PDB file of all heavy atoms in Angstrom:
ATOM      1  N   ILE B  26      94.062 108.284 115.306  1.00 48.00           N
ATOM      2  CA  ILE B  26      93.837 109.086 114.103  1.00 48.00           C
ATOM      3  C   ILE B  26      95.158 109.399 113.414  1.00 48.00           C
ATOM      4  O   ILE B  26      95.287 109.286 112.190  1.00 48.00           O
ATOM      5  CB  ILE B  26      93.096 110.392 114.458  1.00 48.00           C
ATOM      6  CG1 ILE B  26      91.677 110.065 114.914  1.00 48.00           C
ATOM      7  CG2 ILE B  26      93.071 111.342 113.261  1.00 48.00           C
ATOM      8  CD1 ILE B  26      90.956 111.256 115.501  1.00 48.00           C
ATOM      9  N   LYS B  27      96.158 109.782 114.218  1.00 56.00           N
ATOM     10  CA  LYS B  27      97.469 110.111 113.653  1.00 56.00           C
ATOM     11  C   LYS B  27      98.074 108.909 112.944  1.00 56.00           C
ATOM     12  O   LYS B  27      98.622 109.011 111.840  1.00 56.00           O
ATOM     13  CB  LYS B  27      98.399 110.603 114.762  1.00 56.00           C
ATOM     14  CG  LYS B  27      99.767 111.053 114.242  1.00 56.00           C
ATOM     15  CD  LYS B  27     100.602 111.603 115.382  1.00 56.00           C
ATOM     16  CE  LYS B  27     101.967 112.063 114.846  1.00 56.00           C
ATOM     17  NZ  LYS B  27     102.812 112.595 115.950  1.00 56.00           N
ATOM     18  N   GLY B  28      97.979 107.729 113.587  1.00 58.00           N
ATOM     19  CA  GLY B  28      98.529 106.520 112.982  1.00 58.00           C
ATOM     20  C   GLY B  28      97.822 106.154 111.691  1.00 58.00           C
ATOM     21  O   GLY B  28      98.459 105.782 110.710  1.00 58.00           O
ATOM     22  N   MET B  29      96.498 106.288 111.671  1.00 57.00           N
ATOM     23  CA  MET B  29      95.735 105.942 110.467  1.00 57.00           C
ATOM     24  C   MET B  29      96.053 106.892 109.317  1.00 57.00           C
ATOM     25  O   MET B  29      96.214 106.462 108.177  1.00 57.00           O
ATOM     26  CB  MET B  29      94.236 105.973 110.782  1.00 57.00           C
ATOM     27  CG  MET B  29      93.778 104.848 111.704  1.00 57.00           C
ATOM     28  SD  MET B  29      92.030 105.000 112.154  1.00 57.00           S
ATOM     29  CE  MET B  29      91.256 104.897 110.530  1.00 57.00           C
ATOM     30  N   THR B  30      96.146 108.173 109.631  1.00 60.00           N
ATOM     31  CA  THR B  30      96.409 109.149 108.567  1.00 60.00           C
ATOM     32  C   THR B  30      97.810 108.980 108.001  1.00 60.00           C
ATOM     33  O   THR B  30      98.008 109.094 106.781  1.00 60.00           O
ATOM     34  CB  THR B  30      96.230 110.583 109.104  1.00 60.00           C
ATOM     35  OG1 THR B  30      97.006 110.745 110.303  1.00 60.00           O
ATOM     36  CG2 THR B  30      94.771 110.873 109.413  1.00 60.00           C
ATOM     37  N   TRP B  31      98.780 108.707 108.863  1.00 64.00           N
ATOM     38  CA  TRP B  31     100.135 108.513 108.370  1.00 64.00           C
ATOM     39  C   TRP B  31     100.245 107.228 107.556  1.00 64.00           C
ATOM     40  O   TRP B  31     100.958 107.185 106.542  1.00 64.00           O
ATOM     41  CB  TRP B  31     101.135 108.484 109.527  1.00 64.00           C
ATOM     42  CG  TRP B  31     101.577 109.853 109.949  1.00 64.00           C
ATOM     43  CD1 TRP B  31     101.237 110.509 111.076  1.00 64.00           C
ATOM     44  CD2 TRP B  31     102.432 110.723 109.202  1.00 64.00           C
ATOM     45  NE1 TRP B  31     101.801 111.761 111.111  1.00 64.00           N
ATOM     46  CE2 TRP B  31     102.553 111.921 109.968  1.00 64.00           C
ATOM     47  CE3 TRP B  31     103.082 110.637 107.986  1.00 64.00           C
ATOM     48  CZ2 TRP B  31     103.307 112.998 109.544  1.00 64.00           C
ATOM     49  CZ3 TRP B  31     103.837 111.715 107.556  1.00 64.00           C
ATOM     50  CH2 TRP B  31     103.945 112.884 108.335  1.00 64.00           C
ATOM     51  N   ARG B  32      99.546 106.165 107.954  1.00 72.00           N
ATOM     52  CA  ARG B  32      99.548 104.931 107.161  1.00 72.00           C
ATOM     53  C   ARG B  32      98.908 105.167 105.797  1.00 72.00           C
ATOM     54  O   ARG B  32      99.387 104.659 104.782  1.00 72.00           O
ATOM     55  CB  ARG B  32      98.804 103.825 107.912  1.00 72.00           C
ATOM     56  CG  ARG B  32      99.620 103.166 109.021  1.00 72.00           C
ATOM     57  CD  ARG B  32      99.003 101.850 109.444  1.00 72.00           C
ATOM     58  NE  ARG B  32      97.647 102.012 109.945  1.00 72.00           N
ATOM     59  CZ  ARG B  32      97.343 102.293 111.210  1.00 72.00           C
ATOM     60  NH1 ARG B  32      98.323 102.419 112.107  1.00 72.00           N
ATOM     61  NH2 ARG B  32      96.095 102.414 111.584  1.00 72.00           N
ATOM     62  N   TRP B  33      97.851 105.951 105.803  1.00 65.00           N
ATOM     63  CA  TRP B  33      97.187 106.277 104.536  1.00 65.00           C
ATOM     64  C   TRP B  33      98.140 107.052 103.625  1.00 65.00           C
ATOM     65  O   TRP B  33      98.239 106.762 102.429  1.00 65.00           O
ATOM     66  CB  TRP B  33      95.936 107.102 104.821  1.00 65.00           C
ATOM     67  CG  TRP B  33      95.289 107.653 103.576  1.00 65.00           C
ATOM     68  CD1 TRP B  33      94.441 107.018 102.739  1.00 65.00           C
ATOM     69  CD2 TRP B  33      95.491 108.972 103.034  1.00 65.00           C
ATOM     70  NE1 TRP B  33      94.082 107.843 101.704  1.00 65.00           N
ATOM     71  CE2 TRP B  33      94.703 109.055 101.859  1.00 65.00           C
ATOM     72  CE3 TRP B  33      96.225 110.081 103.424  1.00 65.00           C
ATOM     73  CZ2 TRP B  33      94.658 110.197 101.073  1.00 65.00           C
ATOM     74  CZ3 TRP B  33      96.171 111.228 102.651  1.00 65.00           C
ATOM     75  CH2 TRP B  33      95.395 111.275 101.492  1.00 65.00           C
ATOM     76  N   LEU B  34      98.851 108.023 104.191  1.00 66.00           N
ATOM     77  CA  LEU B  34      99.791 108.822 103.402  1.00 66.00           C
ATOM     78  C   LEU B  34     100.907 107.955 102.847  1.00 66.00           C
ATOM     79  O   LEU B  34     101.260 108.070 101.663  1.00 66.00           O
ATOM     80  CB  LEU B  34     100.369 109.937 104.274  1.00 66.00           C
ATOM     81  CG  LEU B  34     101.418 110.841 103.597  1.00 66.00           C
ATOM     82  CD1 LEU B  34     100.789 111.575 102.424  1.00 66.00           C
ATOM     83  CD2 LEU B  34     102.007 111.829 104.601  1.00 66.00           C
ATOM     84  N   ILE B  35     101.462 107.074 103.665  1.00 73.00           N
ATOM     85  CA  ILE B  35     102.545 106.205 103.216  1.00 73.00           C
ATOM     86  C   ILE B  35     102.076 105.292 102.092  1.00 73.00           C
ATOM     87  O   ILE B  35     102.780 105.078 101.100  1.00 73.00           O
ATOM     88  CB  ILE B  35     103.107 105.395 104.400  1.00 73.00           C
ATOM     89  CG1 ILE B  35     103.833 106.327 105.383  1.00 73.00           C
ATOM     90  CG2 ILE B  35     104.053 104.296 103.894  1.00 73.00           C
ATOM     91  CD1 ILE B  35     104.254 105.658 106.675  1.00 73.00           C
ATOM     92  N   ASN B  36     100.874 104.756 102.228  1.00 73.00           N
ATOM     93  CA  ASN B  36     100.340 103.873 101.186  1.00 73.00           C
ATOM     94  C   ASN B  36     100.149 104.627  99.877  1.00 73.00           C
ATOM     95  O   ASN B  36     100.488 104.118  98.788  1.00 73.00           O
ATOM     96  CB  ASN B  36      99.013 103.274 101.639  1.00 73.00           C
ATOM     97  CG  ASN B  36      99.192 102.257 102.755  1.00 73.00           C
ATOM     98  OD1 ASN B  36     100.263 101.670 102.901  1.00 73.00           O
ATOM     99  ND2 ASN B  36      98.155 102.057 103.561  1.00 73.00           N
ATOM    100  N   VAL B  37      99.592 105.834  99.966  1.00 72.00           N
ATOM    101  CA  VAL B  37      99.354 106.626  98.760  1.00 72.00           C
ATOM    102  C   VAL B  37     100.677 106.994  98.088  1.00 72.00           C
ATOM    103  O   VAL B  37     100.841 106.850  96.866  1.00 72.00           O
ATOM    104  CB  VAL B  37      98.549 107.896  99.092  1.00 72.00           C
ATOM    105  CG1 VAL B  37      98.512 108.833  97.884  1.00 72.00           C
ATOM    106  CG2 VAL B  37      97.137 107.531  99.517  1.00 72.00           C
ATOM    107  N   ILE B  38     101.637 107.469  98.879  1.00 74.00           N
ATOM    108  CA  ILE B  38     102.939 107.847  98.329  1.00 74.00           C
ATOM    109  C   ILE B  38     103.640 106.629  97.738  1.00 74.00           C
ATOM    110  O   ILE B  38     104.295 106.713  96.685  1.00 74.00           O
ATOM    111  CB  ILE B  38     103.806 108.508  99.410  1.00 74.00           C
ATOM    112  CG1 ILE B  38     103.211 109.876  99.796  1.00 74.00           C
ATOM    113  CG2 ILE B  38     105.243 108.689  98.919  1.00 74.00           C
ATOM    114  CD1 ILE B  38     103.945 110.568 100.921  1.00 74.00           C
ATOM    115  N   GLY B  39     103.515 105.487  98.414  1.00 78.00           N
ATOM    116  CA  GLY B  39     104.127 104.268  97.895  1.00 78.00           C
ATOM    117  C   GLY B  39     103.594 103.899  96.519  1.00 78.00           C
ATOM    118  O   GLY B  39     104.363 103.546  95.615  1.00 78.00           O
ATOM    119  N   VAL B  40     102.279 103.999  96.356  1.00 80.00           N
ATOM    120  CA  VAL B  40     101.675 103.707  95.052  1.00 80.00           C
ATOM    121  C   VAL B  40     102.174 104.691  93.994  1.00 80.00           C
ATOM    122  O   VAL B  40     102.511 104.311  92.865  1.00 80.00           O
ATOM    123  CB  VAL B  40     100.137 103.758  95.150  1.00 80.00           C
ATOM    124  CG1 VAL B  40      99.515 103.661  93.757  1.00 80.00           C
ATOM    125  CG2 VAL B  40      99.629 102.632  96.033  1.00 80.00           C
ATOM    126  N   ILE B  41     102.241 105.968  94.367  1.00 79.00           N
ATOM    127  CA  ILE B  41     102.695 106.999  93.419  1.00 79.00           C
ATOM    128  C   ILE B  41     104.151 106.759  93.019  1.00 79.00           C
ATOM    129  O   ILE B  41     104.512 106.888  91.843  1.00 79.00           O
ATOM    130  CB  ILE B  41     102.513 108.399  94.029  1.00 79.00           C
ATOM    131  CG1 ILE B  41     101.030 108.713  94.190  1.00 79.00           C
ATOM    132  CG2 ILE B  41     103.178 109.464  93.160  1.00 79.00           C
ATOM    133  CD1 ILE B  41     100.743 110.007  94.923  1.00 79.00           C
ATOM    134  N   VAL B  42     104.996 106.411  93.984  1.00 80.00           N
ATOM    135  CA  VAL B  42     106.404 106.142  93.691  1.00 80.00           C
ATOM    136  C   VAL B  42     106.542 104.959  92.745  1.00 80.00           C
ATOM    137  O   VAL B  42     107.357 104.978  91.802  1.00 80.00           O
ATOM    138  CB  VAL B  42     107.187 105.892  94.996  1.00 80.00           C
ATOM    139  CG1 VAL B  42     108.579 105.341  94.688  1.00 80.00           C
ATOM    140  CG2 VAL B  42     107.299 107.181  95.804  1.00 80.00           C
ATOM    141  N   ILE B  43     105.755 103.920  92.952  1.00 84.00           N
ATOM    142  CA  ILE B  43     105.796 102.748  92.069  1.00 84.00           C
ATOM    143  C   ILE B  43     105.377 103.127  90.651  1.00 84.00           C
ATOM    144  O   ILE B  43     106.001 102.710  89.667  1.00 84.00           O
ATOM    145  CB  ILE B  43     104.897 101.624  92.621  1.00 84.00           C
ATOM    146  CG1 ILE B  43     105.501 101.063  93.915  1.00 84.00           C
ATOM    147  CG2 ILE B  43     104.734 100.511  91.581  1.00 84.00           C
ATOM    148  CD1 ILE B  43     104.617 100.057  94.615  1.00 84.00           C
ATOM    149  N   VAL B  44     104.327 103.949  90.554  1.00 84.00           N
ATOM    150  CA  VAL B  44     103.866 104.391  89.235  1.00 84.00           C
ATOM    151  C   VAL B  44     104.947 105.217  88.541  1.00 84.00           C
ATOM    152  O   VAL B  44     105.220 105.041  87.350  1.00 84.00           O
ATOM    153  CB  VAL B  44     102.560 105.207  89.367  1.00 84.00           C
ATOM    154  CG1 VAL B  44     102.197 105.854  88.030  1.00 84.00           C
ATOM    155  CG2 VAL B  44     101.426 104.312  89.839  1.00 84.00           C
ATOM    156  N   ILE B  45     105.577 106.126  89.299  1.00 83.00           N
ATOM    157  CA  ILE B  45     106.651 106.956  88.730  1.00 83.00           C
ATOM    158  C   ILE B  45     107.805 106.075  88.269  1.00 83.00           C
ATOM    159  O   ILE B  45     108.384 106.291  87.196  1.00 83.00           O
ATOM    160  CB  ILE B  45     107.134 107.998  89.761  1.00 83.00           C
ATOM    161  CG1 ILE B  45     106.036 109.037  90.022  1.00 83.00           C
ATOM    162  CG2 ILE B  45     108.413 108.692  89.272  1.00 83.00           C
ATOM    163  CD1 ILE B  45     106.369 110.004  91.140  1.00 83.00           C
ATOM    164  N   LEU B  46     108.154 105.069  89.070  1.00 84.00           N
ATOM    165  CA  LEU B  46     109.244 104.155  88.709  1.00 84.00           C
ATOM    166  C   LEU B  46     108.920 103.397  87.418  1.00 84.00           C
ATOM    167  O   LEU B  46     109.782 103.260  86.543  1.00 84.00           O
ATOM    168  CB  LEU B  46     109.493 103.168  89.849  1.00 84.00           C
ATOM    169  CG  LEU B  46     110.628 102.148  89.643  1.00 84.00           C
ATOM    170  CD1 LEU B  46     111.951 102.871  89.462  1.00 84.00           C
ATOM    171  CD2 LEU B  46     110.695 101.188  90.827  1.00 84.00           C
ATOM    172  N   LEU B  47     107.694 102.933  87.287  1.00 88.00           N
ATOM    173  CA  LEU B  47     107.293 102.219  86.069  1.00 88.00           C
ATOM    174  C   LEU B  47     107.348 103.143  84.856  1.00 88.00           C
ATOM    175  O   LEU B  47     107.790 102.737  83.766  1.00 88.00           O
ATOM    176  CB  LEU B  47     105.878 101.659  86.240  1.00 88.00           C
ATOM    177  CG  LEU B  47     105.728 100.502  87.238  1.00 88.00           C
ATOM    178  CD1 LEU B  47     104.263 100.120  87.394  1.00 88.00           C
ATOM    179  CD2 LEU B  47     106.538  99.290  86.780  1.00 88.00           C
ATOM    180  N   ILE B  48     106.907 104.391  85.031  1.00 85.00           N
ATOM    181  CA  ILE B  48     106.959 105.362  83.936  1.00 85.00           C
ATOM    182  C   ILE B  48     108.411 105.610  83.522  1.00 85.00           C
ATOM    183  O   ILE B  48     108.724 105.713  82.334  1.00 85.00           O
ATOM    184  CB  ILE B  48     106.281 106.674  84.353  1.00 85.00           C
ATOM    185  CG1 ILE B  48     104.764 106.455  84.514  1.00 85.00           C
ATOM    186  CG2 ILE B  48     106.540 107.775  83.320  1.00 85.00           C
ATOM    187  CD1 ILE B  48     104.035 107.662  85.065  1.00 85.00           C
ATOM    188  N   GLN B  49     109.321 105.689  84.506  1.00 84.00           N
ATOM    189  CA  GLN B  49     110.738 105.900  84.206  1.00 84.00           C
ATOM    190  C   GLN B  49     111.318 104.725  83.424  1.00 84.00           C
ATOM    191  O   GLN B  49     112.070 104.929  82.460  1.00 84.00           O
ATOM    192  CB  GLN B  49     111.521 106.097  85.509  1.00 84.00           C
ATOM    193  CG  GLN B  49     111.272 107.443  86.181  1.00 84.00           C
ATOM    194  CD  GLN B  49     112.072 107.575  87.454  1.00 84.00           C
ATOM    195  OE1 GLN B  49     112.188 106.636  88.243  1.00 84.00           O
ATOM    196  NE2 GLN B  49     112.622 108.741  87.681  1.00 84.00           N
ATOM    197  N   ILE B  50     110.976 103.513  83.826  1.00 87.00           N
ATOM    198  CA  ILE B  50     111.486 102.332  83.128  1.00 87.00           C
ATOM    199  C   ILE B  50     111.013 102.317  81.681  1.00 87.00           C
ATOM    200  O   ILE B  50     111.794 102.071  80.755  1.00 87.00           O
ATOM    201  CB  ILE B  50     111.037 101.045  83.859  1.00 87.00           C
ATOM    202  CG1 ILE B  50     111.713 100.952  85.231  1.00 87.00           C
ATOM    203  CG2 ILE B  50     111.369  99.808  83.022  1.00 87.00           C
ATOM    204  CD1 ILE B  50     111.217  99.810  86.091  1.00 87.00           C
ATOM    205  N   VAL B  51     109.723 102.612  81.475  1.00 89.00           N
ATOM    206  CA  VAL B  51     109.177 102.645  80.115  1.00 89.00           C
ATOM    207  C   VAL B  51     109.833 103.759  79.305  1.00 89.00           C
ATOM    208  O   VAL B  51     110.173 103.571  78.126  1.00 89.00           O
ATOM    209  CB  VAL B  51     107.650 102.838  80.158  1.00 89.00           C
ATOM    210  CG1 VAL B  51     107.093 103.072  78.751  1.00 89.00           C
ATOM    211  CG2 VAL B  51     106.979 101.622  80.785  1.00 89.00           C
ATOM    212  N   ALA B  52     110.042 104.926  79.941  1.00 87.00           N
ATOM    213  CA  ALA B  52     110.650 106.058  79.241  1.00 87.00           C
ATOM    214  C   ALA B  52     112.079 105.749  78.821  1.00 87.00           C
ATOM    215  O   ALA B  52     112.478 106.041  77.683  1.00 87.00           O
ATOM    216  CB  ALA B  52     110.616 107.295  80.135  1.00 87.00           C
ATOM    217  N   ILE B  53     112.864 105.144  79.705  1.00 87.00           N
ATOM    218  CA  ILE B  53     114.249 104.807  79.376  1.00 87.00           C
ATOM    219  C   ILE B  53     114.304 103.761  78.260  1.00 87.00           C
ATOM    220  O   ILE B  53     115.120 103.852  77.339  1.00 87.00           O
ATOM    221  CB  ILE B  53     114.987 104.290  80.631  1.00 87.00           C
ATOM    222  CG1 ILE B  53     115.175 105.434  81.636  1.00 87.00           C
ATOM    223  CG2 ILE B  53     116.329 103.704  80.251  1.00 87.00           C
ATOM    224  CD1 ILE B  53     115.929 106.619  81.088  1.00 87.00           C
ATOM    225  N   PHE B  54     113.421 102.768  78.330  1.00 89.00           N
ATOM    226  CA  PHE B  54     113.372 101.757  77.273  1.00 89.00           C
ATOM    227  C   PHE B  54     113.021 102.398  75.938  1.00 89.00           C
ATOM    228  O   PHE B  54     113.631 102.081  74.907  1.00 89.00           O
ATOM    229  CB  PHE B  54     112.344 100.683  77.625  1.00 89.00           C
ATOM    230  CG  PHE B  54     112.144  99.656  76.543  1.00 89.00           C
ATOM    231  CD1 PHE B  54     113.035  98.603  76.395  1.00 89.00           C
ATOM    232  CD2 PHE B  54     111.075  99.760  75.664  1.00 89.00           C
ATOM    233  CE1 PHE B  54     112.858  97.666  75.384  1.00 89.00           C
ATOM    234  CE2 PHE B  54     110.897  98.824  74.657  1.00 89.00           C
ATOM    235  CZ  PHE B  54     111.786  97.774  74.519  1.00 89.00           C
ATOM    236  N   PHE B  55     112.053 103.306  75.949  1.00 91.00           N
ATOM    237  CA  PHE B  55     111.632 103.980  74.717  1.00 91.00           C
ATOM    238  C   PHE B  55     112.763 104.846  74.160  1.00 91.00           C
ATOM    239  O   PHE B  55     113.018 104.839  72.952  1.00 91.00           O
ATOM    240  CB  PHE B  55     110.403 104.840  75.001  1.00 91.00           C
ATOM    241  CG  PHE B  55     109.940 105.642  73.813  1.00 91.00           C
ATOM    242  CD1 PHE B  55     109.233 105.037  72.786  1.00 91.00           C
ATOM    243  CD2 PHE B  55     110.229 106.993  73.717  1.00 91.00           C
ATOM    244  CE1 PHE B  55     108.821 105.770  71.678  1.00 91.00           C
ATOM    245  CE2 PHE B  55     109.825 107.736  72.617  1.00 91.00           C
ATOM    246  CZ  PHE B  55     109.113 107.118  71.597  1.00 91.00           C
ATOM    247  N   ILE B  56     113.446 105.580  75.038  1.00 90.00           N
ATOM    248  CA  ILE B  56     114.556 106.438  74.596  1.00 90.00           C
ATOM    249  C   ILE B  56     115.682 105.603  74.002  1.00 90.00           C
ATOM    250  O   ILE B  56     116.208 105.899  72.926  1.00 90.00           O
ATOM    251  CB  ILE B  56     115.067 107.290  75.772  1.00 90.00           C
ATOM    252  CG1 ILE B  56     114.015 108.331  76.180  1.00 90.00           C
ATOM    253  CG2 ILE B  56     116.383 107.995  75.405  1.00 90.00           C
ATOM    254  CD1 ILE B  56     114.338 109.060  77.461  1.00 90.00           C
ATOM    255  N   SER B  57     116.070 104.534  74.714  1.00 90.00           N
ATOM    256  CA  SER B  57     117.149 103.670  74.243  1.00 90.00           C
ATOM    257  C   SER B  57     116.788 103.028  72.903  1.00 90.00           C
ATOM    258  O   SER B  57     117.596 103.005  71.967  1.00 90.00           O
ATOM    259  CB  SER B  57     117.442 102.585  75.280  1.00 90.00           C
ATOM    260  OG  SER B  57     118.439 101.707  74.833  1.00 90.00           O
ATOM    261  N   ASP B  58     115.571 102.525  72.806  1.00 92.00           N
ATOM    262  CA  ASP B  58     115.137 101.876  71.566  1.00 92.00           C
ATOM    263  C   ASP B  58     115.091 102.872  70.407  1.00 92.00           C
ATOM    264  O   ASP B  58     115.439 102.525  69.277  1.00 92.00           O
ATOM    265  CB  ASP B  58     113.756 101.241  71.781  1.00 92.00           C
ATOM    266  CG  ASP B  58     113.275 100.473  70.558  1.00 92.00           C
ATOM    267  OD1 ASP B  58     113.891  99.443  70.240  1.00 92.00           O
ATOM    268  OD2 ASP B  58     112.300 100.913  69.925  1.00 92.00           O
ATOM    269  N   SER B  59     114.681 104.106  70.697  1.00 93.00           N
ATOM    270  CA  SER B  59     114.606 105.129  69.642  1.00 93.00           C
ATOM    271  C   SER B  59     115.989 105.458  69.100  1.00 93.00           C
ATOM    272  O   SER B  59     116.185 105.551  67.880  1.00 93.00           O
ATOM    273  CB  SER B  59     113.943 106.394  70.195  1.00 93.00           C
ATOM    274  OG  SER B  59     112.615 106.146  70.581  1.00 93.00           O
ATOM    275  N   TYR B  60     116.965 105.629  69.998  1.00 93.00           N
ATOM    276  CA  TYR B  60     118.328 105.934  69.567  1.00 93.00           C
ATOM    277  C   TYR B  60     118.919 104.789  68.738  1.00 93.00           C
ATOM    278  O   TYR B  60     119.489 105.012  67.654  1.00 93.00           O
ATOM    279  CB  TYR B  60     119.227 106.204  70.775  1.00 93.00           C
ATOM    280  CG  TYR B  60     119.197 107.639  71.257  1.00 93.00           C
ATOM    281  CD1 TYR B  60     118.456 108.011  72.365  1.00 93.00           C
ATOM    282  CD2 TYR B  60     119.915 108.629  70.606  1.00 93.00           C
ATOM    283  CE1 TYR B  60     118.417 109.325  72.810  1.00 93.00           C
ATOM    284  CE2 TYR B  60     119.900 109.941  71.041  1.00 93.00           C
ATOM    285  CZ  TYR B  60     119.152 110.282  72.150  1.00 93.00           C
ATOM    286  OH  TYR B  60     119.128 111.582  72.578  1.00 93.00           O
ATOM    287  N   TYR B  61     118.792 103.564  69.239  1.00 94.00           N
ATOM    288  CA  TYR B  61     119.368 102.423  68.535  1.00 94.00           C
ATOM    289  C   TYR B  61     118.659 102.170  67.211  1.00 94.00           C
ATOM    290  O   TYR B  61     119.303 101.780  66.224  1.00 94.00           O
ATOM    291  CB  TYR B  61     119.316 101.182  69.425  1.00 94.00           C
ATOM    292  CG  TYR B  61     120.504 101.055  70.340  1.00 94.00           C
ATOM    293  CD1 TYR B  61     120.679 101.925  71.412  1.00 94.00           C
ATOM    294  CD2 TYR B  61     121.479 100.080  70.131  1.00 94.00           C
ATOM    295  CE1 TYR B  61     121.779 101.831  72.244  1.00 94.00           C
ATOM    296  CE2 TYR B  61     122.576  99.971  70.961  1.00 94.00           C
ATOM    297  CZ  TYR B  61     122.724 100.857  72.023  1.00 94.00           C
ATOM    298  OH  TYR B  61     123.820 100.768  72.834  1.00 94.00           O
ATOM    299  N   SER B  62     117.349 102.388  67.170  1.00 94.00           N
ATOM    300  CA  SER B  62     116.606 102.205  65.923  1.00 94.00           C
ATOM    301  C   SER B  62     117.052 103.220  64.878  1.00 94.00           C
ATOM    302  O   SER B  62     117.164 102.888  63.684  1.00 94.00           O
ATOM    303  CB  SER B  62     115.101 102.338  66.173  1.00 94.00           C
ATOM    304  OG  SER B  62     114.626 101.297  67.003  1.00 94.00           O
ATOM    305  N   ALA B  63     117.324 104.447  65.324  1.00 95.00           N
ATOM    306  CA  ALA B  63     117.785 105.479  64.396  1.00 95.00           C
ATOM    307  C   ALA B  63     119.153 105.127  63.827  1.00 95.00           C
ATOM    308  O   ALA B  63     119.394 105.266  62.619  1.00 95.00           O
ATOM    309  CB  ALA B  63     117.837 106.832  65.104  1.00 95.00           C
ATOM    310  N   VAL B  64     120.065 104.654  64.689  1.00 94.00           N
ATOM    311  CA  VAL B  64     121.403 104.252  64.225  1.00 94.00           C
ATOM    312  C   VAL B  64     121.290 103.060  63.286  1.00 94.00           C
ATOM    313  O   VAL B  64     121.939 103.011  62.221  1.00 94.00           O
ATOM    314  CB  VAL B  64     122.317 103.904  65.418  1.00 94.00           C
ATOM    315  CG1 VAL B  64     123.654 103.366  64.932  1.00 94.00           C
ATOM    316  CG2 VAL B  64     122.535 105.132  66.287  1.00 94.00           C
ATOM    317  N   ARG B  65     120.461 102.088  63.647  1.00 94.00           N
ATOM    318  CA  ARG B  65     120.287 100.886  62.822  1.00 94.00           C
ATOM    319  C   ARG B  65     119.747 101.257  61.442  1.00 94.00           C
ATOM    320  O   ARG B  65     120.244 100.765  60.420  1.00 94.00           O
ATOM    321  CB  ARG B  65     119.334  99.935  63.537  1.00 94.00           C
ATOM    322  CG  ARG B  65     119.107  98.618  62.803  1.00 94.00           C
ATOM    323  CD  ARG B  65     118.221  97.692  63.602  1.00 94.00           C
ATOM    324  NE  ARG B  65     118.880  97.245  64.823  1.00 94.00           N
ATOM    325  CZ  ARG B  65     118.513  97.636  66.044  1.00 94.00           C
ATOM    326  NH1 ARG B  65     117.517  98.496  66.212  1.00 94.00           N
ATOM    327  NH2 ARG B  65     119.154  97.177  67.105  1.00 94.00           N
TER     328      ARG B  65
END
């Protein structure tokens, strides 16, 4: 039971971390593009 629950937690956290990372990449791209577009 302990092994299954910990594997479940790791899988869930892993998915959440990947989603957060993707959101960060999109946010940085949007911020960078907004600044450069304003200067342009």
